[in-house]
Amino acid sequence: MTEGSEKRTIGFIGLGLMGSAMAEMLLDDGLKLVVWNRESEAYPHLEKRGAIIAESPAAVAAQCEVVMVCVIDTQAVRDVTLGTNGIVHGAKPGLIVVDHSTAMPEDTAKIADQLNSAAGIRFIDAPVSGGPAFARARKLTIMAGGSESDLRSVTPLMARYAQNITRMGNVGAGQMTKVLNQAISGVSYVLMAEVVRLAELSGIDAARVPECLAGGHADSVMLNFAYPKMLEKAFDPPASLASQMLKDLKNVSAEAKRFGLNIPLVDSAKERFADYVDSGGGRAETASIYKAYVDE
């Protein structure tokens, strides 16, 4: 971290499971942090760590040189940046917005253009992969879109909670890469659920499957992360939500449609998550998609 970035006041908007974990890392490292969230539940916890509570996204922007955003979807990004009391209404020219949300690529580029035209705001789309535990271990993966100079300026901040930060192109490229990430993740969660259930029903020592397959073509992060979680039914507290995965898989389908591509495997996983969410599993841990197979 450079001396200049140490002295900057940083904003953080969106304090859900992911946002709170990232904000904690910035506070633990002694940075001055101004925060805002639609719901106030996260405030006491972060206030104890030294966070300054702002009354709106505009009030966050007015106090900061860099503002991180981590909200639920494209519309939420638009609301906190361009809406009533949004960032655009409080920002000074040169403010950098780093959007860690998962949003649509084309819409992200349009939002960035509007912010720049209206208030001279620079924008980086920087969706993340890894979950809250990875953030607290400072091991998130970030796929970024934006100018090289802007990304260099904020990389030391993001390195407080990420170990792999890659520029994939101009604004929107980070979100396009996240689309690919979620296609892989969503299909993999469903695949792991099917594999776990098949292993259980077969009578083999299901717990030893990751160990047995280590180093082979089937070895993967998901085999060593999602598979044991499903096998142990370790779904509480949730690290991510099934409803969010469904939202992300819908984004994947929309992008594939934009390019005229048929993606039946992703669409099948999306249908699995849609059925699970419809049955009441929306607020449950993503890996609990395993439950969809228990009674079949």
Side-chain angles (χ1 to χ4, degrees):
M1 177 67 74
T2 65
E3 182 181 352
S5 58
E6 288 279 8
K7 293 180 179 179
R8 287 185 289 186
T9 300
I10 311 303
F12 213 107
I13 293 171
L15 302 170
L17 292 172
M18 276 302 307
S20 288
M22 291 188 282
E24 286 172 17
M25 296 300 96
L26 297 174
L27 289 166
D28 285 355
D29 286 349
L31 274 70
K32 183 178 180 182
L33 197 67
V34 182
V35 303
W36 181 86
N37 194 54
R38 194 177 301 276
E39 294 85 25
S40 61
E41 288 86 351
Y43 288 159
H45 169 64
L46 294 176
E47 241 181 331
K48 289 179 182 177
R49 292 173 179 254
I52 300 166
I53 310 302
E55 62 183 14
S56 67
V60 173
Q63 302 175 64
C64 299
E65 299 167 62
V66 177
V67 176
M68 312 297 199
V69 174
C70 189
V71 292
I72 187 65
D73 56 19
T74 305
Q75 186 56 52
V77 174
R78 190 177 289 112
D79 289 345
V80 301
T81 56
L82 295 166
T84 303
N85 294 319
I87 289 171
V88 70
H89 301 295
K92 304 177 184 69
L95 173 75
I96 300 178
V97 170
V98 179
D99 183 20
H100 289 311
S101 314
T102 297
M104 298 299 285
E106 283 193 308
D107 290 333
T108 291
K110 291 176 183 177
I111 289 169
D113 285 343
Q114 289 178 270
L115 290 170
N116 188 259
S117 297
I121 295 170
R122 294 134 68 190
F123 193 97
I124 294 170
D125 59 309
V128 303
S129 181
F134 280 68
R136 293 186 175 98
R138 305 177 191 266
K139 291 183 177 180
L140 287 176
T141 290
I142 293 179
M143 46 227 83
S147 78
E148 292 184 16
S149 60
D150 287 346
L151 184 58
R152 277 197 304 270
S153 176
V154 298
T155 290
L157 293 171
M158 295 192 292
R160 302 282 186 175
Y161 41 76
Q163 68 176 1
N164 181 14
I165 303 167
T166 305
R167 180 179 180 266
M168 294 300 293
N170 294 326
V171 174
Q175 295 296 353
M176 190 64 235
T177 309
K178 184 61 183 286
V179 166
L180 306 181
N181 182 86
Q182 294 310 91
I184 295 168
S185 296
V187 170
S188 295
Y189 271 111
V190 172
L191 175 60
M192 287 301 110
E194 294 178 355
V195 168
V196 169
R197 196 65 188 128
L198 184 58
E200 289 176 323
L201 293 171
S202 73
I204 67 169
D205 187 350
R208 298 194 69 187
V209 169
E211 171 195 348
C212 179
L213 302 184
H217 285 175
D219 197 5
S220 67
V221 171
M222 292 296 283
L223 183 64
N224 289 282
F225 170 73
Y227 181 100
K229 182 174 283 195
M230 293 177 184
L231 193 64
E232 297 163 14
K233 321 299 186 287
F235 304 135
D236 293 308
S240 61
L241 303 180
S243 60
Q244 293 175 344
M245 180 56 73
L246 174 59
K247 179 263 297 182
D248 293 347
L249 288 172
K250 288 179 178 179
N251 287 354
V252 177
S253 291
E255 287 301 294
K257 184 177 181 181
R258 180 162 72 94
F259 292 109
L261 179 65
N262 185 32
I263 50 170
L265 194 59
V266 173
D267 286 338
S268 178
K270 181 183 67 177
E271 290 170 10
R272 257 303 179 189
F273 271 101
D275 289 344
Y276 185 56
V277 170
D278 286 346
S279 72
R283 297 296 299 173
E285 154 75 39
T286 307
S288 71
I289 187 68
Y290 160 86
K291 293 180 180 179
Y293 293 86
V294 172
D295 298 324
E296 293 192 341

